[in-house]
Amino acid sequence: MTIFKKLTILGGATVFAVAAMPGMAQNLNLHTFAGRNSAVIGPVPHLLAERVETFTGGEVKIKVFDPGDLVPAIQYYDAVSQGSVDAAFGAAGFEVSKNSAYDFVSAIPFGPQAPEYYAWIFNGGGLELAQEFYARDNIYWYPCGNVVAETGGWFKQPLNGVDELAGLSMRFAGLGSKVFTKLGVSTQLMGGGEIYQAIELGTIEAAELSFPANDRSAGLPEVAKHNYFPGWHQQQAINEILVNMTAWNGLSDGAKEAIHVSCKAAILETMAEGEATQFAALEQHVADGVTLHTYPQDWLDTFHATWLEVVEEEKAANPDWARMWDSFSAFRARYKLWADRAYLPRN
Amino acid sequence: MTIFKKLTILGGATVFAVAAMPGMAQNLNLHTFAGRNSAVIGPVPHLLAERVETFTGGEVKIKVFDPGDLVPAIQYYDAVSQGSVDAAFGAAGFEVSKNSAYDFVSAIPFGPQAPEYYAWIFNGGGLELAQEFYARDNIYWYPCGNVVAETGGWFKQPLNGVDELAGLSMRFAGLGSKVFTKLGVSTQLMGGGEIYQAIELGTIEAAELSFPANDRSAGLPEVAKHNYFPGWHQQQAINEILVNMTAWNGLSDGAKEAIHVSCKAAILETMAEGEATQFAALEQHVADGVTLHTYPQDWLDTFHATWLEVVEEEKAANPDWARMWDSFSAFRARYKLWADRAYLPRN
């Protein structure tokens, strides 16, 4: 999108989008927050780039830049907004300082499993709300990958009661951290690569990170032996592509369709691979002496009641968050009539 | 694929695949088993055709033919195998007379929900087994759409016990019918359009058909007022594309990728739309005086035990079926370690 970038720089803030000329090559620089070797997620932007180039007959060439090459891993929002980076493969959870409503297209405590989540996103209003909010910052938003359920956290010692959470120091990212903070946990945010050492040194006593295969990559089974389930704070999460709006508007309809369809395929692929690759990690956890615990229902009830307090606070703090919550919870309430009947109990 | 068809006709059975020449237009005739207006499923082949033409820059043009235009709705297998029709959008359940193992890539009683199903298909061996079996008949197989859970059947009178099934006359398709037959039900197969009249005339007393939106289209809430859940016999089903192998081998790598990626996107789209459109149908059912029932757990246990008898018979009858079962059930057994812990109870 060199042409548009130059126009922006020369002409100031306002640039009228020009329809792409047939045969005019367009080069998009795409930042990714996840290294290529990151389990399940890492290959997504590289595959997207290959497919979009193939499907546009070379009209659109996407060059993928690793974390740090253009901007730091999770600090891509302003760069895409301003157009100094054309696009980014990311997760909305990294962008909630810009608008807390982005929580809803990232991961939601006590949120839905994947089929219901995408039903709301694509057919229940979620996509339109997200695109409205991102457009204010000159960004086109689209979901582009699924993240399977996280685990409910790693602890050095087993917990004998929900009250034992109070006073613990724990790495925790996202909305779930607000729930655990209310329960007396001292929550801290740190990168996945720092957790191992922080637990070993005693800086923290517990951590939630990701799904089991990623938790293994981070070495967590070596430093904590009690892994709790379910990951109530992140039953499923979404990856995304952000495209500078001027760059987006300059793409042909065929190129836009190539991005949409490739991203939808990526969601299915990461959903399938994510589900298929966790049990082997759990089997290895157990072989390494990790005990797999399930949170008792009354603890989950406490977490849920506390989450509803967080909901009220977030709604009051941000009208966009309230609009997302209203859309999401109205959809879920009607969906329940179906979900309560359609599916066999897991057994 | 006119060129390959002519070669086949002139030269006999064996034709060596020729790589597509760049810029050589290829026309594929695609039969669809489902009319364009069929809820959720109907638009899939039309969208596939549009996308593949766009993504190949017009190199591949797919013309979609409605049921009956080339061959009857569900009788497309031999035509694709022989190459008189290049491709078909279908469901493997229509093809089990060719190989009962196709059951596994269609719908499986007590089978998985969508994320687990696609985990096995794409990352657990299901795709490779299906492609091996179809290739024997000169067919390339690929999944191309999801069908959300069916309901567990429509009855004119509520059932007071599982023993009341014995003696009932019921429309029932697929493997589930073998379970109900063992329980004394007189199962019959008929098209969706015939069920309404058959119940009204008293030819049958009960029927399973599809998911709620399709059941409504077939008028079932007007002739039966008791709708049972869950659809234990079809928790999720898969649509597919079949392509004559000679035609498939003549496609460029880019065209093959366009079909794969468009089909994966179609799976996600139909999964999302399928989940999003059932609760409104159920709300209307209730407004029409339909009672929604849930099969008691002990009835489901009876259905499941009877299903395991069917499994033994099918395994003994067909080694391909046994290979599919072994792959599928070994995957599910390991997946359970994850699934039992990862997800919140539905509540």
Side-chain angles (χ1 to χ4, degrees), chain A residues 123-202:
Chain A
N123 301 86
L127 180 71
E128 291 77 7
L129 280 173
Q131 291 186 335
E132 177 190 331
F133 299 160
Y134 279 93
R136 294 179 196 150
D137 287 332
N138 203 38
I139 292 172
Y140 181 81
W141 182 86
Y142 207 74
C144 203
N146 185 70
V147 184
V148 75
E150 292 198 343
T151 80
W154 293 80
F155 297 83
K156 294 193 77 160
Q157 303 296 333
L159 299 165
N160 298 302
V162 69
D163 54 313
E164 290 191 4
L165 287 170
L168 276 183
S169 180
M170 183 173 187
R171 187 269 185 191
F172 213 131
L175 276 169
S177 71
K178 298 186 179 181
V179 173
F180 263 29
T181 299
K182 280 181 174 285
L183 294 171
V185 178
S186 171
T187 61
Q188 301 186 28
L189 192 54
M190 60 181 70
E194 302 166 62
I195 297 174
Y196 178 98
Q197 197 177 21
I199 293 182
E200 204 171 35
L201 292 174

Side-chain angles (χ1 to χ4, degrees), chain B residues 126-298:
Chain B
L127 181 71
E128 290 77 6
L129 281 174
Q131 290 186 335
E132 177 190 331
F133 299 161
Y134 279 94
R136 295 179 196 150
D137 287 332
N138 202 39
I139 293 172
Y140 182 80
W141 181 87
Y142 207 73
C144 203
N146 184 70
V147 184
V148 74
E150 292 199 343
T151 78
W154 293 81
F155 297 83
K156 294 194 78 160
Q157 302 297 332
L159 299 164
N160 297 303
V162 69
D163 54 313
E164 291 190 3
L165 287 170
L168 276 183
S169 180
M170 182 173 187
R171 188 269 183 191
F172 213 130
L175 276 169
S177 72
K178 298 185 179 180
V179 174
F180 263 29
T181 299
K182 280 181 175 287
L183 294 171
V185 178
S186 171
T187 60
Q188 301 186 29
L189 192 54
M190 61 181 70
E194 302 166 61
I195 297 173
Y196 179 98
Q197 198 178 20
I199 294 182
E200 204 173 35
L201 292 175
T203 315
I204 57 174
E205 299 151 290
E208 66 76 41
L209 177 61
S210 185
F211 48 79
N214 268 347
D215 285 353
R216 278 197 78 74
S217 301
L220 301 193
E222 296 174 37
V223 289
K225 293 296 183 191
H226 299 276
N227 192 192
Y228 278 71
F229 294 84
W232 55 272
H233 62 297
Q234 185 168 321
Q235 283 280 283
Q236 212 76 194
I238 299 176
N239 286 137
E240 61 180 11
I241 183 171
L242 305 184
V243 186
N244 174 272
M245 191 64 83
T246 313
W248 178 258
N249 288 336
L251 296 173
S252 68
D253 288 348
K256 289 174 180 171
E257 179 80 341
I259 291 172
H260 287 159
V261 172
S262 298
C263 279
K264 283 176 171 169
I267 292 170
L268 182 78
E269 289 169 333
T270 49
M271 181 191 304
E273 188 181 350
E275 293 288 350
T277 50
Q278 303 319 313
F279 54 74
L282 291 186
E283 288 165 355
Q284 289 184 292
H285 286 1
V286 172
D288 290 347
V290 171
T291 303
L292 307 176
H293 299 266
T294 296
Y295 284 121
Q297 185 60 46
D298 62 314

Side-chain angles (χ1 to χ4, degrees), chain A residues 8 210 337:
Chain A
T8 309
S210 184
L337 181 68

Side-chain angles (χ1 to χ4, degrees), chain A residues 12-310:
Chain A
T14 308
V15 174
F16 292 97
V18 180
M21 306 277 280
M24 187 175 79
Q26 294 171 288
N27 298 303
L28 295 181
N29 291 337
L30 175 77
H31 163 81
T32 174
F33 82 101
R36 194 191 283 255
N37 293 331
S38 174
V40 186
I41 297 165
V44 170
H46 303 275
L47 201 50
L48 177 73
E50 282 174 30
R51 286 169 171 172
V52 171
E53 183 166 343
T54 299
F55 295 163
T56 61
E59 177 192 312
V60 176
K61 293 183 197 294
I62 295 176
K63 186 170 180 190
V64 182
F65 289 85
D66 279 336
D69 285 355
L70 298 176
V71 287
I74 64 173
Q75 291 171 37
Y76 50 79
Y77 190 92
D78 292 338
V80 175
S81 176
Q82 292 155 14
S84 60
V85 173
D86 300 311
F89 174 72
F94 301 134
E95 304 147 19
V96 292
S97 67
K98 306 295 179 181
N99 188 338
S100 61
Y102 296 162
D103 282 325
F104 286 90
V105 289
S106 182
I108 311 169
F110 296 95
Q113 295 177 29
E116 181 185 2
Y117 206 167
Y118 294 107
W120 175 68
I121 293 280
F122 286 111
N123 301 86
L127 180 71
E128 291 77 7
L129 280 173
Q131 291 186 335
E132 177 190 331
F133 299 160
Y134 279 93
R136 294 179 196 150
D137 287 332
N138 203 38
I139 292 172
Y140 181 81
W141 182 86
Y142 207 74
C144 203
N146 185 70
V147 184
V148 75
E150 292 198 343
T151 80
W154 293 80
F155 297 83
K156 294 193 77 160
Q157 303 296 333
L159 299 165
N160 298 302
V162 69
D163 54 313
E164 290 191 4
L165 287 170
L168 276 183
S169 180
M170 183 173 187
R171 187 269 185 191
F172 213 131
L175 276 169
S177 71
K178 298 186 179 181
V179 173
F180 263 29
T181 299
K182 280 181 174 285
L183 294 171
V185 178
S186 171
T187 61
Q188 301 186 28
L189 192 54
M190 60 181 70
E194 302 166 62
I195 297 174
Y196 178 98
Q197 197 177 21
I199 293 182
E200 204 171 35
L201 292 174
T203 315
I204 56 175
E205 300 150 290
E208 66 76 41
L209 177 61
S210 184
F211 48 80
N214 268 348
D215 286 353
R216 278 197 78 74
S217 301
L220 301 194
E222 296 173 37
V223 289
K225 294 294 185 192
H226 299 276
N227 193 192
Y228 278 70
F229 294 84
W232 55 271
H233 61 297
Q234 187 170 321
Q235 283 279 284
Q236 211 77 194
I238 298 176
N239 285 137
E240 61 180 11
I241 183 170
L242 306 184
V243 186
N244 175 270
M245 190 64 82
T246 313
W248 178 258
N249 289 335
L251 296 173
S252 68
D253 288 347
K256 290 175 180 171
E257 179 79 342
I259 291 172
H260 287 159
V261 172
S262 298
C263 280
K264 284 176 171 169
I267 292 171
L268 183 78
E269 289 168 333
T270 49
M271 181 191 305
E273 189 182 349
E275 294 287 352
T277 50
Q278 303 320 312
F279 53 74
L282 291 187
E283 287 165 356
Q284 289 184 292
H285 286 1
V286 172
D288 289 347
V290 171
T291 303
L292 308 177
H293 299 265
T294 296
Y295 283 122
Q297 185 60 47
D298 62 315
W299 299 24
L300 291 173
D301 292 343
T302 299
F303 301 164
H304 189 247
T306 310
W307 158 241
L308 294 179
E309 294 174 20
V310 173

Side-chain angles (χ1 to χ4, degrees), chain A residues 304-327:
Chain A
H304 189 247
T306 310
W307 158 241
L308 294 179
E309 294 174 20
V310 173
V311 166
E312 292 309 312
E313 293 166 8
E314 298 291 325
K315 280 172 68 174
N318 181 356
D320 288 345
W321 207 98
R323 284 178 66 196
M324 281 283 202
W325 174 260
D326 289 347
S327 168

